[in-house]
Amino acid sequence: MICKNCGHENDDRRRYCEKCGEYLYPEEAVTETTKVHKKVETVVKTDKKKVFHYVMIGMIVTLLVVGGSSIYFMNQLRVSKNAEITALEKKNQKLTKQVKKLKQEQSKSDTSYDKEIAKLNKENKEQAQKIVELQDQLAKLGQDTSSSSSSTKKSSSSD
């Protein structure tokens, strides 16, 4: 581009003259460029706002989805745990009933066992008494036999 002030030929990419430093573009071009820059800035600002809004909406949607799914899965976990607790409580009730039943049966068997032992002890005592009586009878018989044989011996020796 040729400078209108000094006539020096400048590179087209330059805005100011290399020789005199004058602005190379006329004011009309500057105002048009400024208008274009302002439009671009407006579009960029508008795009930044849109991007910001989209990002915010995306974050909100993400939070809602994550939060909602977390609440759903926590509720499902709570429901399954409650069902598991209920099942364990039922099982515990059944086991408690079985324990009570077994204790009653044990109590009955202990009582019958004690009765059986008492009966056997009674029979044992009766048999022991019979044995003692028989031993006494044997001892008496032995004495009677010894006294009769000694009297027989005395009568045979006197003959």
Side-chain angles (χ1 to χ4, degrees):
M1 171 154 242
I2 297 174
C3 178
K4 291 182 180 176
N5 187 34
C6 69
H8 180 71
E9 189 172 336
N10 292 291
D11 187 8
D12 286 341
R13 291 177 290 176
R14 294 203 174 259
R15 290 185 174 198
Y16 297 96
C17 178
E18 291 176 357
K19 192 172 183 184
C20 70
E22 186 69 29
Y23 192 67
L24 296 174
Y25 296 98
E27 287 186 31
E28 297 170 2
V30 171
T31 54
E32 285 181 32
T33 306
T34 306
K35 288 178 185 177
V36 169
H37 284 294
K38 285 183 181 180
K39 285 181 183 178
V40 168
E41 285 177 3
T42 306
V43 169
V44 169
K45 285 180 183 177
T46 305
D47 286 346
K48 283 182 182 179
K49 286 181 182 178
K50 284 181 181 177
V51 169
F52 177 75
H53 289 294
Y54 289 138
V55 168
M56 290 304 292
I57 289 170
M59 290 173 68
I60 291 170
V61 168
T62 302
L63 285 173
L64 289 174
V65 168
V66 169
S69 61
S70 296
I71 290 170
Y72 173 77
F73 287 115
M74 292 298 285
N75 189 41
Q76 290 298 100
L77 181 65
R78 184 182 55 82
V79 168
S80 68
K81 290 296 178 185
N82 284 343
E84 191 175 331
I85 288 170
T86 303
L88 287 173
E89 286 174 346
K90 286 181 181 177
K91 190 173 185 180
N92 189 25
Q93 288 174 351
K94 287 180 183 178
L95 289 174
T96 303
K97 287 179 182 179
Q98 286 179 347
V99 166
K100 284 181 181 179
K101 186 177 179 180
L102 288 172
K103 282 183 178 181
Q104 289 173 348
E105 289 176 6
Q106 182 184 9
S107 175
K108 288 178 183 177
S109 66
D110 285 349
T111 304
S112 64
Y113 178 74
D114 290 341
K115 287 180 182 178
E116 192 67 29
I117 288 176
K119 182 180 173 183
L120 289 174
N121 283 337
K122 186 177 178 183
E123 288 177 7
N124 193 17
K125 284 181 183 178
E126 289 173 356
Q127 287 178 356
Q129 285 176 349
K130 285 182 183 179
I131 290 172
V132 168
E133 288 173 3
L134 288 173
Q135 285 175 342
D136 287 344
Q137 287 175 1
L138 278 175
K140 283 182 186 178
L141 283 174
Q143 286 176 356
D144 288 344
T145 311
S146 349
S147 61
S148 59
S149 61
S150 57
S151 43
T152 312
K153 283 183 186 178
K154 283 184 186 179
S155 48
S156 21
S157 48
S158 37
D159 285 331

